[in-house]
Amino acid sequence: MRRNPGEVNVLVTRKFPERGMELLKDQGFGVSVWPGEEPMTDKEFLKEAKLSTALFCTLSEKVDRSFLEECSHIDIISQFGVGYDNIDVEAAGELGIPVCNTPDVLSDATADVAFALMINVSRKMFWLHKSIARGEWKYFRPGYGLGIELRGKTLGIFGLGRIGTEMAKRCKGAFGMEVIYHNRNRKAEAEKELGARYVSFEELLLHSDILSVHANLTNETEGIFDMNAFRKMKSSAIFINTARGLMHDENDLATALQKGIIWGAGLDVTNPEPMESDNPLLEMENVAVLPHIGSATTETRNRMSELAASAIVSYYRGERIDNIVNPQALDIKKRE
Ligand code: DGY
């Protein structure tokens, strides 16, 4: 039997938008919100989780096998975020703990950031903005701060899921870009709708003018954009990563930019996070870096909060949950 809401204590690991908390409280769930601004330490997280029945968490919480084995009493984990590489989903599945995430609701906001980074890098905007503060705007200089145009260029998408598709739509609509992509599976719909062409990883590297990363972080994708990959790219190419920083080797990226192996880079995710304030990438002309704010609009964060909370509500009501990433978990521990 699943517990009644009144018997459930949801550990909420940060001050997430109120919408989700209100939804849980309105349904009679007990909600404990960690009051700190900073993430909990692993020790604090474990201690609090032991006192809880459900988790509402995000990417900074390490939910690995050993944590899960100590907290196998947890009924459900609802992640505020589309990515869930902080959670050992396989171990959770084996223990019968469903893991949910917040897909779809953040695709537009995140694609907007990828698109904005691309334009900002192509016109050196972050660097030029800072040049005013450096006192460099004295008179019109015809050859100063020149960027590159995007019209008619080839967009390469690594990971054509929901966010990658939104990025492709923007690039095609605004700049008439040709779209090529590399993915685990071919996407017939995107091929039809966007005229997107499936290519090998090697071809993606060779032919992209803009290469935008939207894949999940897995053992196969970790570190895939290293010097070996950058060397295959065009020297005029722009590398964009709004997915996970661990997919690129940041030292290799800095070297590739310094040596002109590729032209520019726009990052919303870095490796490691947070990026140190003296990172040489921050001083480069053709680089724009943001502090992992892909989904950071009020509307999107409210929707993420609601969706993460709804999964918990649906679980205890025994209703179908669409955004569950390990559905096999529901078959393992028969609680009903
Ligand atoms: C996501 O939703 O995965 C974002 O990167 C924030 O974690």
mmCIF file of all heavy atoms in Angstrom, residues 104 107-108 110-112 114-115 155-173 179-183 185-196 212-215 242:
data_model
loop_
_atom_site.group_PDB
_atom_site.id
_atom_site.type_symbol
_atom_site.label_atom_id
_atom_site.label_comp_id
_atom_site.label_asym_id
_atom_site.label_seq_id
_atom_site.Cartn_x
_atom_site.Cartn_y
_atom_site.Cartn_z
ATOM 1 N N ASP A 104 10.708 18.784 -21.205
ATOM 2 C CA ASP A 104 9.782 19.604 -22.007
ATOM 3 C C ASP A 104 9.641 21.048 -21.536
ATOM 4 O O ASP A 104 9.826 21.969 -22.316
ATOM 5 C CB ASP A 104 8.361 18.994 -22.094
ATOM 6 C CG ASP A 104 8.385 17.656 -22.811
ATOM 7 O OD1 ASP A 104 9.136 17.520 -23.793
ATOM 8 O OD2 ASP A 104 7.686 16.739 -22.367
ATOM 9 N N SER A 107 12.571 23.277 -22.398
ATOM 10 C CA SER A 107 13.234 23.176 -23.706
ATOM 11 C C SER A 107 13.390 24.541 -24.370
ATOM 12 O O SER A 107 14.453 24.854 -24.908
ATOM 13 C CB SER A 107 12.452 22.243 -24.627
ATOM 14 O OG SER A 107 12.352 20.971 -24.041
ATOM 15 N N ASP A 108 12.330 25.360 -24.335
ATOM 16 C CA ASP A 108 12.420 26.676 -24.985
ATOM 17 C C ASP A 108 13.465 27.546 -24.296
ATOM 18 O O ASP A 108 14.307 28.148 -24.959
ATOM 19 C CB ASP A 108 11.057 27.386 -24.931
ATOM 20 C CG ASP A 108 10.159 26.935 -26.072
ATOM 21 O OD1 ASP A 108 10.663 26.806 -27.206
ATOM 22 O OD2 ASP A 108 8.969 26.703 -25.833
ATOM 23 N N THR A 110 16.037 26.773 -22.531
ATOM 24 C CA THR A 110 17.425 26.307 -22.706
ATOM 25 C C THR A 110 17.881 26.512 -24.147
ATOM 26 O O THR A 110 19.024 26.934 -24.392
ATOM 27 C CB THR A 110 17.537 24.828 -22.275
ATOM 28 O OG1 THR A 110 16.963 24.696 -20.977
ATOM 29 C CG2 THR A 110 18.968 24.364 -22.241
ATOM 30 N N ALA A 111 16.973 26.267 -25.101
ATOM 31 C CA ALA A 111 17.341 26.507 -26.506
ATOM 32 C C ALA A 111 17.592 27.996 -26.737
ATOM 33 O O ALA A 111 18.470 28.366 -27.520
ATOM 34 C CB ALA A 111 16.230 25.998 -27.433
ATOM 35 N N ASP A 112 16.833 28.848 -26.042
ATOM 36 C CA ASP A 112 17.067 30.294 -26.172
ATOM 37 C C ASP A 112 18.500 30.640 -25.757
ATOM 38 O O ASP A 112 19.155 31.480 -26.377
ATOM 39 C CB ASP A 112 16.092 31.090 -25.281
ATOM 40 C CG ASP A 112 14.674 31.117 -25.837
ATOM 41 O OD1 ASP A 112 14.479 30.782 -27.025
ATOM 42 O OD2 ASP A 112 13.755 31.476 -25.065
ATOM 43 N N ALA A 114 21.159 28.624 -25.789
ATOM 44 C CA ALA A 114 22.106 28.109 -26.796
ATOM 45 C C ALA A 114 22.154 29.062 -28.000
ATOM 46 O O ALA A 114 23.223 29.409 -28.509
ATOM 47 C CB ALA A 114 21.691 26.708 -27.239
ATOM 48 N N PHE A 115 20.970 29.504 -28.417
ATOM 49 C CA PHE A 115 20.848 30.403 -29.571
ATOM 50 C C PHE A 115 21.519 31.754 -29.257
ATOM 51 O O PHE A 115 22.271 32.298 -30.068
ATOM 52 C CB PHE A 115 19.350 30.577 -29.863
ATOM 53 C CG PHE A 115 19.031 31.324 -31.114
ATOM 54 C CD1 PHE A 115 19.312 30.777 -32.354
ATOM 55 C CD2 PHE A 115 18.418 32.570 -31.054
ATOM 56 C CE1 PHE A 115 18.987 31.460 -33.531
ATOM 57 C CE2 PHE A 115 18.098 33.260 -32.219
ATOM 58 C CZ PHE A 115 18.386 32.710 -33.457
ATOM 59 N N LEU A 155 24.450 24.060 -39.049
ATOM 60 C CA LEU A 155 24.330 23.795 -37.612
ATOM 61 C C LEU A 155 24.464 22.295 -37.381
ATOM 62 O O LEU A 155 23.720 21.512 -37.980
ATOM 63 C CB LEU A 155 22.960 24.259 -37.103
ATOM 64 C CG LEU A 155 22.613 23.849 -35.671
ATOM 65 C CD1 LEU A 155 23.433 24.637 -34.658
ATOM 66 C CD2 LEU A 155 21.120 24.036 -35.387
ATOM 67 N N GLY A 156 25.372 21.896 -36.519
ATOM 68 C CA GLY A 156 25.503 20.490 -36.144
ATOM 69 C C GLY A 156 24.972 20.311 -34.738
ATOM 70 O O GLY A 156 25.406 20.987 -33.810
ATOM 71 N N ILE A 157 24.003 19.408 -34.581
ATOM 72 C CA ILE A 157 23.430 19.170 -33.250
ATOM 73 C C ILE A 157 23.934 17.828 -32.747
ATOM 74 O O ILE A 157 23.752 16.800 -33.411
ATOM 75 C CB ILE A 157 21.884 19.140 -33.311
ATOM 76 C CG1 ILE A 157 21.316 20.476 -33.788
ATOM 77 C CG2 ILE A 157 21.292 18.717 -31.985
ATOM 78 C CD1 ILE A 157 21.140 21.531 -32.741
ATOM 79 N N PHE A 158 24.544 17.828 -31.582
ATOM 80 C CA PHE A 158 24.954 16.573 -30.946
ATOM 81 C C PHE A 158 23.898 16.263 -29.887
ATOM 82 O O PHE A 158 23.862 16.887 -28.830
ATOM 83 C CB PHE A 158 26.341 16.739 -30.315
ATOM 84 C CG PHE A 158 26.847 15.476 -29.675
ATOM 85 C CD1 PHE A 158 27.181 14.383 -30.450
ATOM 86 C CD2 PHE A 158 26.980 15.383 -28.292
ATOM 87 C CE1 PHE A 158 27.646 13.204 -29.867
ATOM 88 C CE2 PHE A 158 27.449 14.212 -27.699
ATOM 89 C CZ PHE A 158 27.774 13.126 -28.491
ATOM 90 N N GLY A 159 22.984 15.327 -30.210
ATOM 91 C CA GLY A 159 21.892 14.998 -29.289
ATOM 92 C C GLY A 159 20.627 15.729 -29.688
ATOM 93 O O GLY A 159 20.305 16.776 -29.131
ATOM 94 N N LEU A 160 19.902 15.178 -30.671
ATOM 95 C CA LEU A 160 18.708 15.867 -31.171
ATOM 96 C C LEU A 160 17.473 15.404 -30.400
ATOM 97 O O LEU A 160 16.633 14.681 -30.909
ATOM 98 C CB LEU A 160 18.543 15.631 -32.679
ATOM 99 C CG LEU A 160 17.507 16.508 -33.373
ATOM 100 C CD1 LEU A 160 17.951 17.958 -33.426
ATOM 101 C CD2 LEU A 160 17.218 16.021 -34.787
ATOM 102 N N GLY A 161 17.406 15.864 -29.159
ATOM 103 C CA GLY A 161 16.194 15.613 -28.361
ATOM 104 C C GLY A 161 15.335 16.859 -28.428
ATOM 105 O O GLY A 161 15.361 17.605 -29.411
ATOM 106 N N ARG A 162 14.604 17.082 -27.335
ATOM 107 C CA ARG A 162 13.664 18.215 -27.332
ATOM 108 C C ARG A 162 14.373 19.560 -27.407
ATOM 109 O O ARG A 162 13.979 20.445 -28.161
ATOM 110 C CB ARG A 162 12.797 18.155 -26.067
ATOM 111 C CG ARG A 162 11.799 17.013 -26.116
ATOM 112 C CD ARG A 162 11.205 16.765 -24.748
ATOM 113 N NE ARG A 162 12.144 15.999 -23.951
ATOM 114 C CZ ARG A 162 11.862 14.849 -23.353
ATOM 115 N NH1 ARG A 162 10.664 14.347 -23.440
ATOM 116 N NH2 ARG A 162 12.774 14.211 -22.647
ATOM 117 N N ILE A 163 15.466 19.714 -26.626
ATOM 118 C CA ILE A 163 16.148 21.024 -26.602
ATOM 119 C C ILE A 163 16.904 21.231 -27.913
ATOM 120 O O ILE A 163 16.867 22.312 -28.516
ATOM 121 C CB ILE A 163 17.095 21.124 -25.380
ATOM 122 C CG1 ILE A 163 16.303 20.951 -24.081
ATOM 123 C CG2 ILE A 163 17.832 22.461 -25.383
ATOM 124 C CD1 ILE A 163 17.141 20.833 -22.817
ATOM 125 N N GLY A 164 17.574 20.176 -28.387
ATOM 126 C CA GLY A 164 18.309 20.264 -29.657
ATOM 127 C C GLY A 164 17.384 20.621 -30.814
ATOM 128 O O GLY A 164 17.734 21.418 -31.693
ATOM 129 N N THR A 165 16.184 20.048 -30.787
ATOM 130 C CA THR A 165 15.215 20.333 -31.847
ATOM 131 C C THR A 165 14.794 21.800 -31.799
ATOM 132 O O THR A 165 14.682 22.468 -32.829
ATOM 133 C CB THR A 165 13.974 19.414 -31.695
ATOM 134 O OG1 THR A 165 14.431 18.061 -31.783
ATOM 135 C CG2 THR A 165 12.938 19.664 -32.767
ATOM 136 N N GLU A 166 14.579 22.328 -30.590
ATOM 137 C CA GLU A 166 14.193 23.752 -30.473
ATOM 138 C C GLU A 166 15.323 24.658 -30.963
ATOM 139 O O GLU A 166 15.081 25.675 -31.605
ATOM 140 C CB GLU A 166 13.814 24.096 -29.020
ATOM 141 C CG GLU A 166 12.472 23.537 -28.587
ATOM 142 C CD GLU A 166 11.324 23.931 -29.511
ATOM 143 O OE1 GLU A 166 11.295 25.079 -29.991
ATOM 144 O OE2 GLU A 166 10.462 23.080 -29.783
ATOM 145 N N MET A 167 16.564 24.283 -30.655
ATOM 146 C CA MET A 167 17.715 25.076 -31.139
ATOM 147 C C MET A 167 17.744 25.036 -32.671
ATOM 148 O O MET A 167 17.937 26.060 -33.335
ATOM 149 C CB MET A 167 19.005 24.490 -30.549
ATOM 150 C CG MET A 167 20.286 25.042 -31.128
ATOM 151 S SD MET A 167 20.531 26.790 -30.736
ATOM 152 C CE MET A 167 22.258 26.989 -31.208
ATOM 153 N N ALA A 168 17.529 23.858 -33.232
ATOM 154 C CA ALA A 168 17.561 23.714 -34.697
ATOM 155 C C ALA A 168 16.467 24.566 -35.348
ATOM 156 O O ALA A 168 16.702 25.223 -36.363
ATOM 157 C CB ALA A 168 17.408 22.245 -35.079
ATOM 158 N N LYS A 169 15.283 24.575 -34.732
ATOM 159 C CA LYS A 169 14.179 25.379 -35.289
ATOM 160 C C LYS A 169 14.555 26.855 -35.324
ATOM 161 O O LYS A 169 14.295 27.558 -36.290
ATOM 162 C CB LYS A 169 12.918 25.225 -34.415
ATOM 163 C CG LYS A 169 12.168 23.944 -34.653
ATOM 164 C CD LYS A 169 10.865 24.008 -33.842
ATOM 165 C CE LYS A 169 10.248 22.636 -33.727
ATOM 166 N NZ LYS A 169 9.258 22.557 -32.658
ATOM 167 N N ARG A 170 15.151 27.323 -34.217
ATOM 168 C CA ARG A 170 15.547 28.738 -34.151
ATOM 169 C C ARG A 170 16.581 29.063 -35.225
ATOM 170 O O ARG A 170 16.513 30.091 -35.899
ATOM 171 C CB ARG A 170 16.113 29.058 -32.750
ATOM 172 C CG ARG A 170 15.020 29.198 -31.693
ATOM 173 C CD ARG A 170 15.575 28.975 -30.282
ATOM 174 N NE ARG A 170 14.559 29.151 -29.248
ATOM 175 C CZ ARG A 170 13.519 28.335 -29.030
ATOM 176 N NH1 ARG A 170 13.335 27.282 -29.811
ATOM 177 N NH2 ARG A 170 12.660 28.572 -28.054
ATOM 178 N N CYS A 171 17.571 28.199 -35.375
ATOM 179 C CA CYS A 171 18.667 28.482 -36.322
ATOM 180 C C CYS A 171 18.178 28.423 -37.767
ATOM 181 O O CYS A 171 18.603 29.198 -38.610
ATOM 182 C CB CYS A 171 19.805 27.487 -36.112
ATOM 183 S SG CYS A 171 20.623 27.724 -34.530
ATOM 184 N N LYS A 172 17.280 27.507 -38.014
ATOM 185 C CA LYS A 172 16.742 27.368 -39.374
ATOM 186 C C LYS A 172 15.849 28.571 -39.694
ATOM 187 O O LYS A 172 15.973 29.196 -40.750
ATOM 188 C CB LYS A 172 15.946 26.062 -39.464
ATOM 189 C CG LYS A 172 15.726 25.633 -40.892
ATOM 190 C CD LYS A 172 15.128 24.250 -40.931
ATOM 191 C CE LYS A 172 14.634 23.932 -42.315
ATOM 192 N NZ LYS A 172 15.682 23.868 -43.313
ATOM 193 N N GLY A 173 14.973 28.908 -38.734
ATOM 194 C CA GLY A 173 14.048 30.022 -38.953
ATOM 195 C C GLY A 173 14.764 31.357 -39.083
ATOM 196 O O GLY A 173 14.472 32.145 -39.978
ATOM 197 N N VAL A 179 20.703 21.862 -41.240
ATOM 198 C CA VAL A 179 20.856 21.172 -39.952
ATOM 199 C C VAL A 179 21.356 19.740 -40.168
ATOM 200 O O VAL A 179 20.745 18.964 -40.904
ATOM 201 C CB VAL A 179 19.508 21.129 -39.173
ATOM 202 C CG1 VAL A 179 19.672 20.418 -37.839
ATOM 203 C CG2 VAL A 179 18.947 22.536 -38.977
ATOM 204 N N ILE A 180 22.470 19.412 -39.518
ATOM 205 C CA ILE A 180 22.924 18.022 -39.477
ATOM 206 C C ILE A 180 22.928 17.599 -38.002
ATOM 207 O O ILE A 180 22.977 18.454 -37.117
ATOM 208 C CB ILE A 180 24.324 17.827 -40.137
ATOM 209 C CG1 ILE A 180 25.388 18.710 -39.455
ATOM 210 C CG2 ILE A 180 24.264 18.111 -41.630
ATOM 211 C CD1 ILE A 180 26.808 18.486 -40.014
ATOM 212 N N TYR A 181 22.824 16.319 -37.741
ATOM 213 C CA TYR A 181 22.791 15.905 -36.337
ATOM 214 C C TYR A 181 23.403 14.525 -36.148
ATOM 215 O O TYR A 181 23.439 13.707 -37.081
ATOM 216 C CB TYR A 181 21.351 15.936 -35.784
ATOM 217 C CG TYR A 181 20.454 14.809 -36.243
ATOM 218 C CD1 TYR A 181 20.198 13.705 -35.416
ATOM 219 C CD2 TYR A 181 19.848 14.828 -37.505
ATOM 220 C CE1 TYR A 181 19.375 12.671 -35.822
ATOM 221 C CE2 TYR A 181 19.019 13.791 -37.925
ATOM 222 C CZ TYR A 181 18.783 12.716 -37.080
ATOM 223 O OH TYR A 181 17.979 11.696 -37.491
ATOM 224 N N HIS A 182 23.868 14.302 -34.927
ATOM 225 C CA HIS A 182 24.306 12.957 -34.548
ATOM 226 C C HIS A 182 23.605 12.591 -33.246
ATOM 227 O O HIS A 182 23.512 13.402 -32.329
ATOM 228 C CB HIS A 182 25.823 12.897 -34.369
ATOM 229 C CG HIS A 182 26.275 11.517 -34.028
ATOM 230 N ND1 HIS A 182 26.288 10.505 -34.955
ATOM 231 C CD2 HIS A 182 26.669 10.963 -32.851
ATOM 232 C CE1 HIS A 182 26.680 9.384 -34.367
ATOM 233 N NE2 HIS A 182 26.914 9.642 -33.093
ATOM 234 N N ASN A 183 23.118 11.382 -33.209
ATOM 235 C CA ASN A 183 22.261 10.930 -32.116
ATOM 236 C C ASN A 183 22.409 9.427 -31.968
ATOM 237 O O ASN A 183 22.874 8.761 -32.888
ATOM 238 C CB ASN A 183 20.811 11.209 -32.565
ATOM 239 C CG ASN A 183 19.956 11.687 -31.446
ATOM 240 O OD1 ASN A 183 20.376 12.525 -30.665
ATOM 241 N ND2 ASN A 183 18.759 11.139 -31.357
ATOM 242 N N ASN A 185 19.790 7.488 -31.860
ATOM 243 C CA ASN A 185 18.789 6.990 -32.819
ATOM 244 C C ASN A 185 18.447 8.081 -33.813
ATOM 245 O O ASN A 185 18.489 9.256 -33.477
ATOM 246 C CB ASN A 185 17.471 6.631 -32.106
ATOM 247 C CG ASN A 185 17.721 5.816 -30.876
ATOM 248 O OD1 ASN A 185 18.372 4.783 -30.939
ATOM 249 N ND2 ASN A 185 17.243 6.297 -29.738
ATOM 250 N N ARG A 186 18.056 7.667 -34.997
ATOM 251 C CA ARG A 186 17.623 8.648 -35.990
ATOM 252 C C ARG A 186 16.268 9.224 -35.595
ATOM 253 O O ARG A 186 15.456 8.549 -34.969
ATOM 254 C CB ARG A 186 17.538 7.995 -37.361
ATOM 255 C CG ARG A 186 18.913 7.798 -37.937
ATOM 256 C CD ARG A 186 18.844 7.240 -39.300
ATOM 257 N NE ARG A 186 18.386 8.244 -40.262
ATOM 258 C CZ ARG A 186 18.777 8.267 -41.528
ATOM 259 N NH1 ARG A 186 19.642 7.377 -41.960
ATOM 260 N NH2 ARG A 186 18.317 9.162 -42.354
ATOM 261 N N LYS A 187 16.041 10.474 -35.960
ATOM 262 C CA LYS A 187 14.794 11.157 -35.617
ATOM 263 C C LYS A 187 14.038 11.481 -36.895
ATOM 264 O O LYS A 187 14.274 12.524 -37.513
ATOM 265 C CB LYS A 187 15.106 12.451 -34.851
ATOM 266 C CG LYS A 187 15.800 12.236 -33.519
ATOM 267 C CD LYS A 187 14.799 11.737 -32.509
ATOM 268 C CE LYS A 187 15.435 11.383 -31.200
ATOM 269 N NZ LYS A 187 14.827 11.973 -30.045
ATOM 270 N N ALA A 188 13.136 10.577 -37.265
ATOM 271 C CA ALA A 188 12.424 10.712 -38.538
ATOM 272 C C ALA A 188 11.629 12.025 -38.594
ATOM 273 O O ALA A 188 11.606 12.711 -39.619
ATOM 274 C CB ALA A 188 11.500 9.523 -38.725
ATOM 275 N N GLU A 189 11.006 12.368 -37.463
ATOM 276 C CA GLU A 189 10.162 13.568 -37.450
ATOM 277 C C GLU A 189 10.980 14.830 -37.707
ATOM 278 O O GLU A 189 10.605 15.682 -38.503
ATOM 279 C CB GLU A 189 9.466 13.665 -36.093
ATOM 280 C CG GLU A 189 8.132 14.346 -36.161
ATOM 281 C CD GLU A 189 7.449 14.253 -34.815
ATOM 282 O OE1 GLU A 189 7.217 13.108 -34.344
ATOM 283 O OE2 GLU A 189 7.186 15.301 -34.243
ATOM 284 N N ALA A 190 12.129 14.918 -37.025
ATOM 285 C CA ALA A 190 12.985 16.106 -37.204
ATOM 286 C C ALA A 190 13.556 16.137 -38.616
ATOM 287 O O ALA A 190 13.731 17.204 -39.204
ATOM 288 C CB ALA A 190 14.112 16.088 -36.184
ATOM 289 N N GLU A 191 13.836 14.970 -39.157
ATOM 290 C CA GLU A 191 14.371 14.923 -40.524
ATOM 291 C C GLU A 191 13.329 15.511 -41.469
ATOM 292 O O GLU A 191 13.651 16.260 -42.385
ATOM 293 C CB GLU A 191 14.738 13.487 -40.912
ATOM 294 C CG GLU A 191 15.925 12.980 -40.101
ATOM 295 C CD GLU A 191 16.490 11.640 -40.571
ATOM 296 O OE1 GLU A 191 16.153 11.199 -41.677
ATOM 297 O OE2 GLU A 191 17.262 11.048 -39.795
ATOM 298 N N LYS A 192 12.050 15.180 -41.193
ATOM 299 C CA LYS A 192 10.984 15.662 -42.058
ATOM 300 C C LYS A 192 10.720 17.159 -41.820
ATOM 301 O O LYS A 192 10.705 17.957 -42.750
ATOM 302 C CB LYS A 192 9.710 14.853 -41.748
ATOM 303 C CG LYS A 192 8.777 14.764 -42.912
ATOM 304 C CD LYS A 192 7.729 13.697 -42.671
ATOM 305 C CE LYS A 192 6.396 14.259 -43.132
ATOM 306 N NZ LYS A 192 5.263 13.775 -42.413
ATOM 307 N N GLU A 193 10.572 17.510 -40.555
ATOM 308 C CA GLU A 193 10.183 18.883 -40.214
ATOM 309 C C GLU A 193 11.290 19.904 -40.493
ATOM 310 O O GLU A 193 11.040 21.007 -40.962
ATOM 311 C CB GLU A 193 9.794 18.927 -38.730
ATOM 312 C CG GLU A 193 9.117 20.193 -38.312
ATOM 313 C CD GLU A 193 8.899 20.258 -36.797
ATOM 314 O OE1 GLU A 193 9.041 19.205 -36.116
ATOM 315 O OE2 GLU A 193 8.614 21.341 -36.308
ATOM 316 N N LEU A 194 12.534 19.529 -40.176
ATOM 317 C CA LEU A 194 13.644 20.496 -40.273
ATOM 318 C C LEU A 194 14.566 20.218 -41.455
ATOM 319 O O LEU A 194 15.532 20.939 -41.668
ATOM 320 C CB LEU A 194 14.504 20.433 -38.994
ATOM 321 C CG LEU A 194 13.806 20.761 -37.679
ATOM 322 C CD1 LEU A 194 14.631 20.300 -36.499
ATOM 323 C CD2 LEU A 194 13.592 22.271 -37.595
ATOM 324 N N GLY A 195 14.293 19.133 -42.145
ATOM 325 C CA GLY A 195 15.214 18.732 -43.211
ATOM 326 C C GLY A 195 16.557 18.331 -42.614
ATOM 327 O O GLY A 195 17.603 18.400 -43.275
ATOM 328 N N ALA A 196 16.542 17.938 -41.325
ATOM 329 C CA ALA A 196 17.806 17.595 -40.643
ATOM 330 C C ALA A 196 18.388 16.313 -41.237
ATOM 331 O O ALA A 196 17.653 15.392 -41.585
ATOM 332 C CB ALA A 196 17.536 17.407 -39.157
ATOM 333 N N SER A 212 26.466 22.407 -31.630
ATOM 334 C CA SER A 212 25.765 22.667 -30.374
ATOM 335 C C SER A 212 25.450 21.352 -29.657
ATOM 336 O O SER A 212 24.846 20.443 -30.231
ATOM 337 C CB SER A 212 24.478 23.452 -30.680
ATOM 338 O OG SER A 212 23.948 23.989 -29.512
ATOM 339 N N VAL A 213 25.857 21.271 -28.402
ATOM 340 C CA VAL A 213 25.752 20.018 -27.634
ATOM 341 C C VAL A 213 24.459 20.009 -26.821
ATOM 342 O O VAL A 213 24.209 20.926 -26.026
ATOM 343 C CB VAL A 213 26.961 19.874 -26.681
ATOM 344 C CG1 VAL A 213 26.875 18.583 -25.874
ATOM 345 C CG2 VAL A 213 28.266 19.935 -27.458
ATOM 346 N N HIS A 214 23.652 18.955 -27.021
ATOM 347 C CA HIS A 214 22.371 18.833 -26.298
ATOM 348 C C HIS A 214 22.142 17.413 -25.800
ATOM 349 O O HIS A 214 21.012 17.045 -25.488
ATOM 350 C CB HIS A 214 21.218 19.258 -27.225
ATOM 351 C CG HIS A 214 21.340 20.666 -27.674
ATOM 352 N ND1 HIS A 214 21.019 21.730 -26.877
ATOM 353 C CD2 HIS A 214 21.814 21.206 -28.830
ATOM 354 C CE1 HIS A 214 21.264 22.865 -27.519
ATOM 355 N NE2 HIS A 214 21.752 22.574 -28.702
ATOM 356 N N ALA A 215 23.189 16.602 -25.776
ATOM 357 C CA ALA A 215 23.029 15.190 -25.386
ATOM 358 C C ALA A 215 23.014 15.046 -23.865
ATOM 359 O O ALA A 215 23.353 15.974 -23.133
ATOM 360 C CB ALA A 215 24.192 14.393 -25.978
ATOM 361 N N THR A 242 25.352 23.685 -23.854
ATOM 362 C CA THR A 242 24.374 24.074 -22.824
ATOM 363 C C THR A 242 23.867 22.822 -22.099
ATOM 364 O O THR A 242 22.848 22.875 -21.414
ATOM 365 C CB THR A 242 23.165 24.813 -23.452
ATOM 366 O OG1 THR A 242 22.632 24.012 -24.517
ATOM 367 C CG2 THR A 242 23.543 26.171 -23.979
#
